Amino acid sequence: MEEYDVIVIGAGHNGLTVAGYLAKAGLNVCVLERAGFIGGEAITRELTVPGFKHDRSSSIHGLIHANPLLLNDELGLLSKHGLKYIFPDSNMSYIFPDETSMVSYPDLDKTCQQIAQFSEKDADTYRSFCEESKPMLDMLVAGMFNPPPPLGEFYAQLDRSPEGQQILRHLFMSGYDIVNKLFEHEKTKIAMLKFMSEPMVAPEDKGTAFYLYAAIPLSHYFPHGIPIGGSGMLSEALGSAIKTYGGVIKVASEVKKITVKGGRAASVILASGEEISARRAIVANLDPRLVFPHMISETDKGFAARIAEIQDPGFSAILQHMALNEAPKWKAGEHIGKSISIEPLCWLENLRRLFDDLRYGLIPSPENLAPCIFCTTVLDPTRAPAGKHTLYLWHYMPYFLKDGGPRKWDEIKTQVADMVLDKMRLHTTNMGPENIIARTTYSPIDYERMNPNVVNGSILGPGSYLHQFFSHRPIPELGQYRTPVEGLYMSGQSFHPGGSITGGGRATVQVIMADLKIDFSNVIKQ
Amino acid sequence: MTAIDMKICIKCTGCIDICPESALFLGEDAAIKCDYEKCISCGDCVDYCPVNAISIND
C-alpha cells in the first residue's frame, strides 16, 4: 500500500495551500483530486471555443493579497512559480439606470471624487467610514490567515472600547440599516449595498453590516488583482510549489472512504478500490456535508445532526461565459471598461426587491437585475486570440426555485441567461449576436454538478452569517479545523476565513502543524 | 463509439481532462468532440460526466 505522511483530499486552492506549507515543512504529502485537473474552482479553461480561456468560477483575487502567503511570498509562488498579478487602476464601475456611473478605485481620494459627483456629504462620510473602520480591519486581516479567534472573544474585544462597542452594535444590524443611516444619495446607497452583497448575503438580513465594514474599506487597502493568464494560474503555481517541495499530486483520484483505525484517521479508499495510507494526518478540503457521513461514519448522532444544520447562503448564481469579437462598448463611457468588475445596477427599490425575489425562489424581474460583468481580456489579453475577448456575465439567482426546485433550471437556463444579457445590452452598443462567437451558461445546479463541493449551489460555501463565523464556521466543533476523528482535519471555503480566493489554507495548516509538533514560524522563515 | 449529447452537456469540460488517452477535446464548433483514433472506450468520461451526456455504443 502506498503511504504518505499526510493526504490532502481535494485540490482546490485551499487544499493546495495546506499541502504546499506541509511539503515545505518536509512532510511527505499527497494531494488527491477527483477531477482530471487541479484548482477546484480556481481554474482557467477553454469553455466556449478553442483559444478563449475563461475563469470557470473564481476570477478576481482580493483578500489573498493581504495574506502572508503572497505578501511575504512564503511558498515562492511569485518569485519561483510564475504567478504574476495585474492590479488595475479601478476595481469596480457601477452604472446606474440613467447611464451615470460611479467608479471605485483602490485610491480613496479618487473614489471620494466619484461619490462627490452625486453628494459631497456622502463622499465625506465614505472617507471617514473607511478611515474609522481601519482599526477593526487591521484586527480582521491579522486574524484572517491564522486560526480563528473564538467568536465570543472577538465580540469581547470589540466590547472593551466605545469605538468597538459602536462597531459591535452595527455588526448585528443589516447592511441596509447602516447604509441608509450613513448615506443620503440613492446612487451611493445602491453601490454600497451591491458591493456588500458579494459574499452572497442579502443586504437586509440582520448581521450583514459586517461585510459593509470589511469588504468596502478593504478594497482601498488591498487592491483587487487578476493573475496574468487567469485565476487558475494561482492553482498552477501552488501545484508547482508542492512538487518542488517533494509533494505528490494525483488527479482523477476520487476518494470514496476515509478509514479509521484505533480511533485515528488511517487511510483513504479511492473509487478505483486502491487504498492509500496516511501516517500522520488526513486533510479533507471539502464541505463537511460531503465527508460526514459519506466518507466517514464513525461519529455520533449529535454531530451528524449539527452537520445537517449547516445553513446555505440565501442564493446562488447564473454564469455566462462568452467568446467575443470585441470588448463591450459601454454607453456610460469608455473608462468603464477598464474596471475589473462592471456592474449595471437598478434603482434602490428594485435592488431591495431583487433580494426578495431570491428569498422567495423566484427569477428576478428584468427591472430588478444587477449583474456583475468581467471582461478580463481588456486587462490581460493573453487569455484570448489577438484582438478577441472573453466575457464573464454573472447574476445572483435562487438555487431552489419556488416552481420546480433546482432541476427546473434545466428548462429555463437559456431564457434566464438571455434576460440577464438583455440587461447588459441596455448599457452597451455592441452586444448583438454578431459580437458573440460562442456562449456557455452555468445555472445554480450546474455549479454543483461541475463540482459537488458547491453544495446546493453555495458558491462561497456555507452562508456568510454571523452564526457561521470565525471559530463557529461552519459549526463550533469544526471551527478550528479539527474533527471528532483524531488525525482528520478539514479545510476549504466551509471554514474560516470562508469562501473566495483567500489562501485560507494557511490558517488550517497552523493547527495541523501545532498538533504534529512542527514550528510554523520556522517553516515560513525558510 | 463514445457519443456526447451536446443537448445535455453543460460544458463543464471535466471529461477532457479525465480521459486517460486525451481523446476528448473542445471543437471549433463549440462542441465536445472525441478523437476515435485515440478513444479506447474505457468509460471514464461516462462515469465522470455529471449530467450523463456521454455514452458508449458498440
Side-chain angles (χ1 to χ4, degrees):
Chain A
M1 195 195 311
E2 258 183 80
E3 194 176 54
Y4 296 89
D5 289 328
V6 182
I7 290 171
V8 177
I9 308 168
H13 95 283
N14 281 305
L16 294 172
T17 302
V18 169
Y21 282 101
L22 291 172
K24 188 180 179 186
L27 295 176
N28 187 12
V29 179
C30 177
V31 182
L32 299 170
E33 168 56 44
R34 167 188 158 272
F37 49 83
I38 61 165
E41 292 308 317
I43 51 174
T44 303
R45 301 170 61 77
E46 291 176 342
L47 299 171
T48 50
V49 280
F52 292 81
K53 294 175 194 156
H54 307 266
D55 293 333
R56 195 170 75 175
S57 296
S58 81
S59 191
I60 300 175
H61 294 190
L63 290 171
I64 196 169
H65 298 294
N67 188 331
L69 169 66
L70 294 189
L71 271 184
N72 304 335
D73 201 21
E74 287 174 344
L75 297 180
L77 304 182
L78 299 165
S79 57
K80 295 179 193 147
H81 298 286
L83 181 63
K84 287 192 175 64
Y85 277 93
I86 297 170
F87 294 98
D89 293 334
S90 64
N91 286 335
M92 257 158 292
S93 280
Y94 297 107
I95 305 171
F96 303 104
D98 61 3
E99 295 300 345
T100 58
S101 64
M102 185 188 287
V103 181
S104 172
Y105 299 92
D107 186 300
L108 183 58
D109 292 335
K110 280 170 79 177
T111 306
C112 289
Q113 281 166 23
Q114 285 284 312
I115 298 171
Q117 295 177 83
F118 308 108
S119 162
E120 294 276 356
K121 182 172 169 279
D122 282 356
D124 292 342
T125 308
Y126 184 84
R127 178 186 301 282
S128 51
F129 177 73
C130 288
E131 287 171 355
E132 285 162 18
S133 310
K134 186 77 171 41
M136 187 188 82
L137 211 56
D138 289 342
M139 191 169 92
L140 269 180
V141 168
M144 203 170 272
F145 312 108
N146 296 309
L151 188 58
E153 267 181 34
F154 171 71
Y155 293 150
Q157 200 172 339
L158 286 172
D159 209 6
R160 284 189 199 112
S161 69
E163 299 79 24
Q165 283 166 344
Q166 180 69 358
I167 292 173
L168 191 54
R169 269 177 65 79
H170 284 184
L171 289 191
F172 290 107
M173 295 164 77
S174 73
Y176 180 77
D177 294 335
I178 306 292
V179 163
N180 236 357
K181 204 162 75 86
L182 289 178
F183 300 106
E184 62 173 16
H185 200 285
E186 180 174 7
K187 290 177 183 172
T188 322
K189 293 182 189 184
I190 303 168
M192 299 304 137
L193 292 174
K194 182 69 198 312
F195 197 160
M196 64 140 291
S197 70
E198 277 178 11
M200 313 299 279
V201 296
E204 288 189 66
D205 284 357
K206 297 293 177 192
T208 54
F210 171 79
Y211 297 101
L212 196 63
Y213 274 92
I216 296 174
L218 197 71
S219 69
H220 298 296
Y221 300 113
F222 294 99
H224 297 170
I226 56 167
I228 296 177
S231 184
M233 295 306 286
L234 170 67
S235 307
E236 295 303 321
L238 282 162
S240 168
I242 292 166
K243 288 177 190 161
T244 304
Y245 291 126
V248 172
I249 299 172
K250 294 186 180 209
V251 294
S253 301
E254 183 181 5
V255 171
K256 285 285 191 193
K257 286 280 171 203
I258 298 168
T259 68
V260 178
K261 285 173 194 151
R264 266 192 77 83
S267 68
V268 299
I269 296 169
L270 304 185
S272 63
E274 186 189 350
E275 185 171 359
I276 303 177
S277 80
R279 281 183 288 263
R280 304 186 71 180
I282 294 175
V283 186
N285 185 54
L286 293 168
D287 188 302
R289 291 170 289 184
L290 301 182
V291 178
F292 308 100
H294 307 290
M295 290 187 182
I296 197 158
S297 47
E298 286 87 346
T299 51
D300 67 56
K301 271 191 187 159
F303 178 72
R306 288 186 289 282
I307 291 282
E309 269 180 15
I310 293 173
Q311 203 178 345
D312 290 313
F315 46 90
S316 180
I318 191 167
L319 170 59
Q320 302 176 60
H321 288 295
M322 290 182 219
L324 298 182
N325 281 312
E326 56 181 24
K329 289 181 179 152
W330 296 96
K331 291 179 184 172
E334 207 179 313
H335 65 290
I336 297 293
K338 297 192 174 102
S339 288
I340 305 188
S341 180
I342 299 157
E343 313 204 2
L345 300 172
C346 50
W347 295 119
L348 183 58
E349 182 175 330
N350 298 102
L351 190 65
R352 296 179 66 188
R353 290 186 189 283
L354 162 64
F355 292 100
D356 284 342
D357 290 338
L358 299 171
R359 184 172 287 116
Y360 290 106
L362 302 172
I363 299 300
S365 309
E367 65 274 18
N368 298 349
L369 293 179
C372 224
I373 301 164
F374 312 150
C375 183
T376 42
T377 41
V378 169
L379 306 160
D380 175 14
T382 68
R383 303 182 187 196
K388 308 281 185 192
H389 290 274
T390 62
L391 192 85
Y392 184 111
L393 172 54
W394 196 73
H395 204 288
Y396 299 148
M397 285 292 158
Y399 174 83
F400 291 100
L401 289 166
K402 183 184 172 193
D403 172 21
R407 291 202 163 268
K408 178 77 177 177
W409 273 110
D410 292 338
E411 285 170 46
I412 62 170
K413 174 166 97 168
T414 306
Q415 185 192 333
V416 174
D418 286 346
M419 179 182 73
V420 176
L421 177 56
D422 283 344
K423 166 71 177 172
M424 182 181 175
R425 284 177 169 146
L426 288 177
H427 298 277
T428 49
T429 58
N430 65 338
M431 283 302 294
E434 68 289 348
N435 191 23
I436 301 169
I437 300 164
R439 171 168 77 154
T440 296
T441 303
Y442 301 133
S443 73
I445 192 173
D446 290 341
Y447 268 108
E448 187 177 30
R449 286 164 168 160
M450 291 191 287
N451 184 344
N453 201 47
V454 185
V455 175
N456 298 330
S458 55
I459 293 163
L460 298 179
S464 303
Y465 304 113
L466 282 188
H467 71 277
Q468 298 187 146
F469 200 60
F470 278 161
S471 64
H472 284 209
R473 184 168 176 82
I475 56 169
E477 280 153 295
L478 295 175
Q480 293 290 343
Y481 316 111
R482 295 184 184 93
T483 71
V485 179
E486 206 187 323
L488 176 65
Y489 299 86
M490 302 290 302
S491 72
Q493 63 178 2
S494 302
F495 305 87
H496 173 79
S500 86
I501 301 296
T502 63
R506 185 185 188 272
T508 312
V509 84
Q510 293 178 55
V511 171
I512 301 170
M513 285 194 191
D515 289 356
L516 299 183
K517 312 275 184 258
I518 296 168
D519 186 346
F520 179 71
S521 62
N522 265 345
V523 175
I524 57 176
K525 261 186 240 152
Q526 287 163 22
Chain B
M1 289 276 280
T2 300
I4 300 131
D5 186 340
M6 289 308 294
K7 285 201 235 30
I8 300 173
C9 173
I10 58 169
K11 281 181 84 175
C12 72
T13 72
C15 56
I16 293 175
D17 295 75
I18 217 76
C19 175
E21 303 297 320
S22 304
L24 295 167
F25 62 99
L26 177 66
E28 292 292 342
D29 62 351
I32 308 291
K33 305 274 189 196
C34 180
D35 179 344
Y36 296 110
E37 299 279 313
K38 292 182 181 171
C39 176
I40 55 167
S41 298
C42 68
D44 281 4
C45 55
V46 177
D47 293 343
Y48 188 85
C49 179
V51 288
N52 301 318
I54 312 181
S55 54
I56 295 178
N57 311 311
D58 293 332

